[in-house]
């Protein structure tokens, strides 16, 4: 603020107020008649307060934003696939050209946000989100020399989002609104610039549940809610009446128990999904060691079946805590000295465990089961040099022994490979 008394006893005071912030300039010139008899000190204080308030008000004034939002079909990164996108982008270019004619227009930030709906793997969705961001930038750079100059002079920030973590939490009818790209240009302007407007836009379901923070004034060029309607109406139908979305689902899991592998036991298990949460596992274990010289035999033929239920809300990926019921049967021959046992066993036991992905197709699984075990067995002694060769002779009396108890029946740390297929999901 500048206060200049041109004449101490003259006709008037010449008062000039300068306020500068964000390249704004304001000048106030007041002519005050000396007959008002306003004290010099009071006048100084009044304009000092005005200067402070003006600076505070301007400091709180944010920069404006020009934005455009476009949408994509499922699995596509081409902005031209939906016909309504081109007019929106052309209006954005027209608005940008209008702003550039203002004397105080200064762009200072350019941001592109792109997103993909939860269908497909997270790696595929990252690539799709990147393709959508590049597609809208290529369109604007190719159609507007002004935008091309701004994007080359500013450090463009690209935010490539995925929404796989929202699978099962958001209804399928909201998925089309999650496939978008949004270009936001932040700029500062003078007092003669156009006032920013905010037409209604489609709700962004990817931010549901988050509190809204204060935002700058935004001039949005995009599909208003009344124009957008059901965005799926612009997409070509794939199957049935609705629009088919592709969903990556597991159809088979093949496993090996690493604990058995360390003991060199041949083992394999397969698990077949039966729904979003249910599956059926079949396991086969067959160690077959036999050493006559060392009097050692470990031979086992064992099979089991176990239905399972997964507790996680993972959309059918089978990656969570689970519980099941295992039933198994087997025959065995165990000998560590000249004496051994042969018999049959069966068991029924509950299974508890946890499974999680460590890669695109690979999982780790940990489980334990404790239940009822029943076995009938006979003891024998290894005989050598008989007329029949080396044989195993059952001990007298030749009767079977029975053992039954509640025991741990399995302990598993398994490496799992998942086979997936892409299935079409029709949204009505």
């Amino acid at each position: 603020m500048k206060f200049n008394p041109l004449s101490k006893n003259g006709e008037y005071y010449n008062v000039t107020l300068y306020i500068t912030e964000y390249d704004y300039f304001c000048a106030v010139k007041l002519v005050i008649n000396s007959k008002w008899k306003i004290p010099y000190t009071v006048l100084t204080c009044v304009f000092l307060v005005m200067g402070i308030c003006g600076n505070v008000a301007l400091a709180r004034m944010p920069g404006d934003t020009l934005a455009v939002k476009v949408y994509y079909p499922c699995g596509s990164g081409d902005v031209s696939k939906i016909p309504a996108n081109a007019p929106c982008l052309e209006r954005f270019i027209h608005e940008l050209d209008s702003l550039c004619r203002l004397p105080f227009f200064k762009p200072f930030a350019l941001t592109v946000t792109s997103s993909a709906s939860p269908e497909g793997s997270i790696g595929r969705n990252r690539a799709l989100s990147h393709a959508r961001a590049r597609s809208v930038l290529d369109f604007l750079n190719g159609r507007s020399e002004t935008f091309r100059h701004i994007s080359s002079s500013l450090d463009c920030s690209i935010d490539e989002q995925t929404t796989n973590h929202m699978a099962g939490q958001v209804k399928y009818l909201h998925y089309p609104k999650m496939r978008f790209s949004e270009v936001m240009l932040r700029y500062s302007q003078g007092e003669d610039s156009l006032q920013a407007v905010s037409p209604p836009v489609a709700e962004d379901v990817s931010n549901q549940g988050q509190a809204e923070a204060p935002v700058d004034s935004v001039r949005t060029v995009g599909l208003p809610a009344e124009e957008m309607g059901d965005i799926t109406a612009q997409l070509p139908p794939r199957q049935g009446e609705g629009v088919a979305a592709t969903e990556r689902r597991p159809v088979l899991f093949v496993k090996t128990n690493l604990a058995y592998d360390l003991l060199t036991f041949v083992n394999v298990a397969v698990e077949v999904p039966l729904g979003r949460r249910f599956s059926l596992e079949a396991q086969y274990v067959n160690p077959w060691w036999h050493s006559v010289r060392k009097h050692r035999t470990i031979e086992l033929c064992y099979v089991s079946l176990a239905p399972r239920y997964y507790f996680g809300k993972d959309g059918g990926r089978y990656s969570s805590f689970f519980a099941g019921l295992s039933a198994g049967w087997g025959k065995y021959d165990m000998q560590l000295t000249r004496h051994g046992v042969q018999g049959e066993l069966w068991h029924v036991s509950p299974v508890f465990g946890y499974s999680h992905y460590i890669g695109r197709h690979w999982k780790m699984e940990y489980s334990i089961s404790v239940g009822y075990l029943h076995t009938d067995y006979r003891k024998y002694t290894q005989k050598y040099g008989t007329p029949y060769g080396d044989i195993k002779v059952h001990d007298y009396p030749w009767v079977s022994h029975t053992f039954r108890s509640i025991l741990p029946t399995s302990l598993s740390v398994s490496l799992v490979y998942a086979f997936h297929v892409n299935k079409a999901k029709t949204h009505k």
Side-chain angles (χ1 to χ4, degrees), residues 193-212:
S193 63
L194 298 177
Q195 296 296 322
V197 295
S198 300
V201 295
E203 177 187 3
D204 187 356
V205 297
S206 63
N207 291 327
Q208 285 184 348
Q210 299 181 2
E212 293 187 359

PDB file of all heavy atoms in Angstrom, residues 193-212:
ATOM      1  N   SER A 193     -10.864 -12.908 -16.796  1.00  0.00           N
ATOM      2  CA  SER A 193     -11.047 -14.226 -17.400  1.00  0.00           C
ATOM      3  C   SER A 193     -12.457 -14.726 -17.147  1.00  0.00           C
ATOM      4  O   SER A 193     -13.207 -14.205 -16.344  1.00  0.00           O
ATOM      5  CB  SER A 193     -10.041 -15.215 -16.811  1.00  0.00           C
ATOM      6  OG  SER A 193     -10.278 -15.360 -15.443  1.00  0.00           O
ATOM      7  N   LEU A 194     -12.802 -15.777 -17.856  1.00  0.00           N
ATOM      8  CA  LEU A 194     -14.118 -16.378 -17.722  1.00  0.00           C
ATOM      9  C   LEU A 194     -14.278 -17.005 -16.356  1.00  0.00           C
ATOM     10  O   LEU A 194     -13.335 -17.518 -15.776  1.00  0.00           O
ATOM     11  CB  LEU A 194     -14.308 -17.441 -18.814  1.00  0.00           C
ATOM     12  CG  LEU A 194     -14.251 -16.941 -20.264  1.00  0.00           C
ATOM     13  CD1 LEU A 194     -14.377 -18.119 -21.195  1.00  0.00           C
ATOM     14  CD2 LEU A 194     -15.353 -15.933 -20.527  1.00  0.00           C
ATOM     15  N   GLN A 195     -15.493 -16.951 -15.849  1.00  0.00           N
ATOM     16  CA  GLN A 195     -15.780 -17.595 -14.587  1.00  0.00           C
ATOM     17  C   GLN A 195     -15.889 -19.097 -14.809  1.00  0.00           C
ATOM     18  O   GLN A 195     -16.460 -19.547 -15.787  1.00  0.00           O
ATOM     19  CB  GLN A 195     -17.096 -17.066 -14.004  1.00  0.00           C
ATOM     20  CG  GLN A 195     -17.039 -15.593 -13.652  1.00  0.00           C
ATOM     21  CD  GLN A 195     -16.033 -15.338 -12.541  1.00  0.00           C
ATOM     22  OE1 GLN A 195     -15.906 -16.138 -11.621  1.00  0.00           O
ATOM     23  NE2 GLN A 195     -15.306 -14.238 -12.639  1.00  0.00           N
ATOM     24  N   ALA A 196     -15.320 -19.872 -13.859  1.00  0.00           N
ATOM     25  CA  ALA A 196     -15.345 -21.326 -13.997  1.00  0.00           C
ATOM     26  C   ALA A 196     -16.741 -21.848 -13.697  1.00  0.00           C
ATOM     27  O   ALA A 196     -17.438 -21.343 -12.842  1.00  0.00           O
ATOM     28  CB  ALA A 196     -14.351 -21.968 -13.034  1.00  0.00           C
ATOM     29  N   VAL A 197     -17.144 -22.873 -14.431  1.00  0.00           N
ATOM     30  CA  VAL A 197     -18.439 -23.506 -14.235  1.00  0.00           C
ATOM     31  C   VAL A 197     -18.225 -24.970 -13.947  1.00  0.00           C
ATOM     32  O   VAL A 197     -17.206 -25.547 -14.288  1.00  0.00           O
ATOM     33  CB  VAL A 197     -19.335 -23.327 -15.485  1.00  0.00           C
ATOM     34  CG1 VAL A 197     -19.672 -21.868 -15.689  1.00  0.00           C
ATOM     35  CG2 VAL A 197     -18.655 -23.904 -16.725  1.00  0.00           C
ATOM     36  N   SER A 198     -19.211 -25.588 -13.340  1.00  0.00           N
ATOM     37  CA  SER A 198     -19.101 -26.993 -12.948  1.00  0.00           C
ATOM     38  C   SER A 198     -20.378 -27.727 -13.323  1.00  0.00           C
ATOM     39  O   SER A 198     -21.284 -27.872 -12.504  1.00  0.00           O
ATOM     40  CB  SER A 198     -18.856 -27.121 -11.443  1.00  0.00           C
ATOM     41  OG  SER A 198     -17.671 -26.462 -11.102  1.00  0.00           O
ATOM     42  N   PRO A 199     -20.542 -28.175 -14.575  1.00  0.00           N
ATOM     43  CA  PRO A 199     -21.713 -28.971 -14.928  1.00  0.00           C
ATOM     44  C   PRO A 199     -21.648 -30.314 -14.243  1.00  0.00           C
ATOM     45  O   PRO A 199     -20.575 -30.805 -13.917  1.00  0.00           O
ATOM     46  CB  PRO A 199     -21.589 -29.122 -16.449  1.00  0.00           C
ATOM     47  CG  PRO A 199     -20.144 -28.929 -16.728  1.00  0.00           C
ATOM     48  CD  PRO A 199     -19.646 -27.977 -15.705  1.00  0.00           C
ATOM     49  N   PRO A 200     -22.798 -30.935 -14.028  1.00  0.00           N
ATOM     50  CA  PRO A 200     -22.799 -32.242 -13.339  1.00  0.00           C
ATOM     51  C   PRO A 200     -22.136 -33.298 -14.183  1.00  0.00           C
ATOM     52  O   PRO A 200     -22.291 -33.318 -15.403  1.00  0.00           O
ATOM     53  CB  PRO A 200     -24.295 -32.538 -13.152  1.00  0.00           C
ATOM     54  CG  PRO A 200     -24.985 -31.740 -14.211  1.00  0.00           C
ATOM     55  CD  PRO A 200     -24.145 -30.505 -14.394  1.00  0.00           C
ATOM     56  N   VAL A 201     -21.380 -34.188 -13.543  1.00  0.00           N
ATOM     57  CA  VAL A 201     -20.714 -35.288 -14.227  1.00  0.00           C
ATOM     58  C   VAL A 201     -21.101 -36.576 -13.550  1.00  0.00           C
ATOM     59  O   VAL A 201     -21.625 -36.597 -12.440  1.00  0.00           O
ATOM     60  CB  VAL A 201     -19.171 -35.120 -14.219  1.00  0.00           C
ATOM     61  CG1 VAL A 201     -18.768 -33.914 -15.019  1.00  0.00           C
ATOM     62  CG2 VAL A 201     -18.665 -35.013 -12.797  1.00  0.00           C
ATOM     63  N   ALA A 202     -20.804 -37.682 -14.239  1.00  0.00           N
ATOM     64  CA  ALA A 202     -21.144 -38.989 -13.687  1.00  0.00           C
ATOM     65  C   ALA A 202     -20.393 -39.241 -12.400  1.00  0.00           C
ATOM     66  O   ALA A 202     -19.248 -38.836 -12.240  1.00  0.00           O
ATOM     67  CB  ALA A 202     -20.817 -40.083 -14.705  1.00  0.00           C
ATOM     68  N   GLU A 203     -21.046 -39.918 -11.493  1.00  0.00           N
ATOM     69  CA  GLU A 203     -20.436 -40.224 -10.198  1.00  0.00           C
ATOM     70  C   GLU A 203     -19.242 -41.140 -10.370  1.00  0.00           C
ATOM     71  O   GLU A 203     -19.292 -42.111 -11.112  1.00  0.00           O
ATOM     72  CB  GLU A 203     -21.481 -40.914  -9.314  1.00  0.00           C
ATOM     73  CG  GLU A 203     -20.935 -41.344  -7.970  1.00  0.00           C
ATOM     74  CD  GLU A 203     -21.942 -42.166  -7.187  1.00  0.00           C
ATOM     75  OE1 GLU A 203     -23.030 -42.421  -7.745  1.00  0.00           O
ATOM     76  OE2 GLU A 203     -21.647 -42.531  -6.059  1.00  0.00           O
ATOM     77  N   ASP A 204     -18.160 -40.823  -9.721  1.00  0.00           N
ATOM     78  CA  ASP A 204     -16.949 -41.653  -9.750  1.00  0.00           C
ATOM     79  C   ASP A 204     -17.040 -42.681  -8.637  1.00  0.00           C
ATOM     80  O   ASP A 204     -16.766 -42.393  -7.488  1.00  0.00           O
ATOM     81  CB  ASP A 204     -15.705 -40.773  -9.567  1.00  0.00           C
ATOM     82  CG  ASP A 204     -14.443 -41.566  -9.769  1.00  0.00           C
ATOM     83  OD1 ASP A 204     -14.543 -42.793  -9.974  1.00  0.00           O
ATOM     84  OD2 ASP A 204     -13.359 -40.962  -9.708  1.00  0.00           O
ATOM     85  N   VAL A 205     -17.439 -43.912  -8.984  1.00  0.00           N
ATOM     86  CA  VAL A 205     -17.644 -44.937  -7.957  1.00  0.00           C
ATOM     87  C   VAL A 205     -16.341 -45.429  -7.383  1.00  0.00           C
ATOM     88  O   VAL A 205     -16.336 -46.110  -6.367  1.00  0.00           O
ATOM     89  CB  VAL A 205     -18.435 -46.126  -8.549  1.00  0.00           C
ATOM     90  CG1 VAL A 205     -19.805 -45.691  -8.981  1.00  0.00           C
ATOM     91  CG2 VAL A 205     -17.675 -46.752  -9.701  1.00  0.00           C
ATOM     92  N   SER A 206     -15.193 -45.123  -8.018  1.00  0.00           N
ATOM     93  CA  SER A 206     -13.933 -45.607  -7.465  1.00  0.00           C
ATOM     94  C   SER A 206     -13.560 -44.887  -6.181  1.00  0.00           C
ATOM     95  O   SER A 206     -12.674 -45.310  -5.468  1.00  0.00           O
ATOM     96  CB  SER A 206     -12.805 -45.428  -8.490  1.00  0.00           C
ATOM     97  OG  SER A 206     -12.616 -44.066  -8.773  1.00  0.00           O
ATOM     98  N   ASN A 207     -14.264 -43.722  -5.872  1.00  0.00           N
ATOM     99  CA  ASN A 207     -13.950 -42.994  -4.651  1.00  0.00           C
ATOM    100  C   ASN A 207     -15.073 -43.058  -3.636  1.00  0.00           C
ATOM    101  O   ASN A 207     -15.197 -42.202  -2.780  1.00  0.00           O
ATOM    102  CB  ASN A 207     -13.658 -41.515  -4.989  1.00  0.00           C
ATOM    103  CG  ASN A 207     -12.382 -41.355  -5.752  1.00  0.00           C
ATOM    104  OD1 ASN A 207     -11.444 -42.114  -5.551  1.00  0.00           O
ATOM    105  ND2 ASN A 207     -12.333 -40.379  -6.652  1.00  0.00           N
ATOM    106  N   GLN A 208     -15.954 -44.066  -3.765  1.00  0.00           N
ATOM    107  CA  GLN A 208     -17.041 -44.192  -2.817  1.00  0.00           C
ATOM    108  C   GLN A 208     -16.495 -44.426  -1.421  1.00  0.00           C
ATOM    109  O   GLN A 208     -15.558 -45.173  -1.234  1.00  0.00           O
ATOM    110  CB  GLN A 208     -17.958 -45.348  -3.199  1.00  0.00           C
ATOM    111  CG  GLN A 208     -18.849 -45.005  -4.388  1.00  0.00           C
ATOM    112  CD  GLN A 208     -19.825 -46.144  -4.690  1.00  0.00           C
ATOM    113  OE1 GLN A 208     -19.670 -47.224  -4.174  1.00  0.00           O
ATOM    114  NE2 GLN A 208     -20.803 -45.853  -5.517  1.00  0.00           N
ATOM    115  N   GLY A 209     -17.137 -43.826  -0.457  1.00  0.00           N
ATOM    116  CA  GLY A 209     -16.741 -44.034   0.927  1.00  0.00           C
ATOM    117  C   GLY A 209     -15.671 -43.081   1.403  1.00  0.00           C
ATOM    118  O   GLY A 209     -15.280 -43.104   2.552  1.00  0.00           O
ATOM    119  N   GLN A 210     -15.134 -42.217   0.492  1.00  0.00           N
ATOM    120  CA  GLN A 210     -14.105 -41.277   0.898  1.00  0.00           C
ATOM    121  C   GLN A 210     -14.725 -39.905   1.080  1.00  0.00           C
ATOM    122  O   GLN A 210     -15.578 -39.471   0.304  1.00  0.00           O
ATOM    123  CB  GLN A 210     -12.995 -41.200  -0.154  1.00  0.00           C
ATOM    124  CG  GLN A 210     -12.281 -42.531  -0.366  1.00  0.00           C
ATOM    125  CD  GLN A 210     -11.182 -42.385  -1.394  1.00  0.00           C
ATOM    126  OE1 GLN A 210     -10.935 -41.312  -1.900  1.00  0.00           O
ATOM    127  NE2 GLN A 210     -10.545 -43.487  -1.705  1.00  0.00           N
ATOM    128  N   ALA A 211     -14.285 -39.172   2.092  1.00  0.00           N
ATOM    129  CA  ALA A 211     -14.802 -37.837   2.346  1.00  0.00           C
ATOM    130  C   ALA A 211     -14.340 -36.884   1.262  1.00  0.00           C
ATOM    131  O   ALA A 211     -13.221 -36.992   0.764  1.00  0.00           O
ATOM    132  CB  ALA A 211     -14.336 -37.343   3.717  1.00  0.00           C
ATOM    133  N   GLU A 212     -15.216 -35.955   0.866  1.00  0.00           N
ATOM    134  CA  GLU A 212     -14.869 -35.007  -0.172  1.00  0.00           C
ATOM    135  C   GLU A 212     -14.083 -33.856   0.440  1.00  0.00           C
ATOM    136  O   GLU A 212     -14.497 -33.258   1.435  1.00  0.00           O
ATOM    137  CB  GLU A 212     -16.141 -34.482  -0.835  1.00  0.00           C
ATOM    138  CG  GLU A 212     -16.885 -35.554  -1.636  1.00  0.00           C
ATOM    139  CD  GLU A 212     -18.039 -34.965  -2.403  1.00  0.00           C
ATOM    140  OE1 GLU A 212     -18.247 -33.737  -2.273  1.00  0.00           O
ATOM    141  OE2 GLU A 212     -18.717 -35.702  -3.124  1.00  0.00           O
TER     142      GLU A 212
END
